[in-house]
Amino acid sequence: MLTVGSLSRAELEARLSGTGLVLRTGPFANRIRSDVQPLIDGVALMYADYPVDPEGGFVDFHLDFLRSGGLRRWVRSQVHFAYDGTTPFQPLPLGQAYPMLEWTMNWCVSHRAHGYLIIHAAVLEKHGRAIILPAPPGSGKSTLTAALLGHGWRLLSDEMTLVHLDDAVLVPLPRPVSLKNASIDIIRAFRPDAVLSRPVEETTKGTIAHLKAPRDSIARAVEPARPACIVFPRWEAGAAITLDPLPKARAFMQVADNSFNYQVLGARGFAALGRLIDASNAYTFRYSDLHEAMALFERLALGTA
Amino acid sequence: MWRVTPGQALACREWDGEAVLYNDLSGNTHLLEGAALDLLHALHVQPADAATLAVRLADHFDAGDDDLVSLIDDMLHTLAGLDLIEPC
């Protein structure tokens, strides 16, 4: 199998600046074209273990990231994103090209992949039990996810949980984990082995760095997982660790609120979410200490929490 | 008299005395008490007024006879506000 890491830098650049690199992420094929060095650096580091699909196959998303032309090419150069020939976003400074790639890949899935119920949630699996972590920004979801990946958990997704509409099975979409601001140094300290992209400052979300997904999670991207728990995390400085059961009907409403396309799917989304709730115990979770959180999640993975 | 609004399939799921219901007309999902769901199911079988429903569903509610009709009447108006039921 051809991977990004098996291409030389010259081969990678030739594909990206030519007909495109067809990058396989979970169930999706992304054709990426770019002449922007920070983006190419990010792809080379973060996606080294990902499969490259052969030319001529079906492609889900066509993504172009190109440098400004004219004077802008030389002064405060920017990167422009085009999706299937349209430009849905404003250009960004060249240094933000790699985070822009991640944001736009998320956007493509959340706005186009309506064959799944898509929840704004991380999802990880251990001992055959998948745990879904729906949460708004600032809840500590990605920090918790990054920490768990150092404790034997498989990454299905940091940002988008894909739920199969017919049987509530969870479809992996393992991609780099987005860390913001203080989380970057917290994970550097907690997981010295972690591979992080170069932090990019002054984005709309503050300073951003991405954590490389574990190689084993990428290799198992075709292996779906069964849901076991839905945990709504909340990080709070100095808080004692708590895990409280959440009634299922209320969990249903909260997951629906954290979904990208629940409304789009209508009655099919209602039925799919009902099956997911049937299969899962739901909890609210408050924590301040990552070591304590790791121990509690181990019990959740074993079904003994 | 009240009836279920035509077009409402009353797709719902119930867990531990609480329910969620899909509103076919608005596309919204509602969190309901189990008792409200009981009212909807009763009206789905046959249109009725609050007094008739109070007799039919007395076992489902924890209230005296007089209070029960008033309680059910309030719930019916709430359900009507969601376009789940309508006067007939």
Side-chain angles (χ1 to χ4, degrees), chain A residues 250 253 262-263 266-267 278, chain B residues 13 15 18 20 22 27 29 31:
Chain A
R250 287 161 197 271
M253 299 300 284
Y262 174 76
Q263 292 284 346
D278 272 339
Chain B
R13 299 300 312 271
W15 297 277
E18 290 184 318
V20 290
Y22 182 73
T29 301
L31 177 65

Side-chain angles (χ1 to χ4, degrees), chain B residues 6 8 19-20 22 24 27-28 42 47 51 53-54 56 58 64 73 76 82 87-88:
Chain B
Q8 294 287 12
V20 290
Y22 182 73
D24 289 281
N28 292 329
L53 288 166
R56 224 189 279 171
D73 200 49
L76 289 170
L82 300 173
C88 63

Side-chain angles (χ1 to χ4, degrees), chain B:
Chain B
M1 293 280 280
W2 297 90
R3 67 175 180 177
V4 173
T5 306
Q8 294 287 12
L10 300 185
C12 60
R13 299 300 312 271
E14 191 171 5
W15 297 277
D16 307 320
E18 290 184 318
V20 290
L21 182 138
Y22 182 73
N23 187 322
D24 289 281
L25 300 186
S26 69
N28 292 329
T29 301
H30 307 296
L31 177 65
L32 301 175
E33 296 173 23
L37 198 62
D38 292 338
L39 284 182
L40 286 169
H41 286 148
L43 292 175
H44 192 57
V45 172
Q46 188 178 1
D49 58 17
T52 308
L53 288 166
V55 173
R56 224 189 279 171
L57 298 175
D59 294 347
H60 297 231
F61 291 85
D62 183 20
D65 287 351
D66 293 342
D67 292 343
L68 184 54
V69 174
S70 166
L71 177 69
I72 287 177
D73 200 49
D74 286 348
M75 292 176 80
L76 289 170
H77 281 89
T78 300
L79 295 173
L82 300 173
D83 293 325
L84 295 172
I85 62 172
E86 64 182 18
C88 63

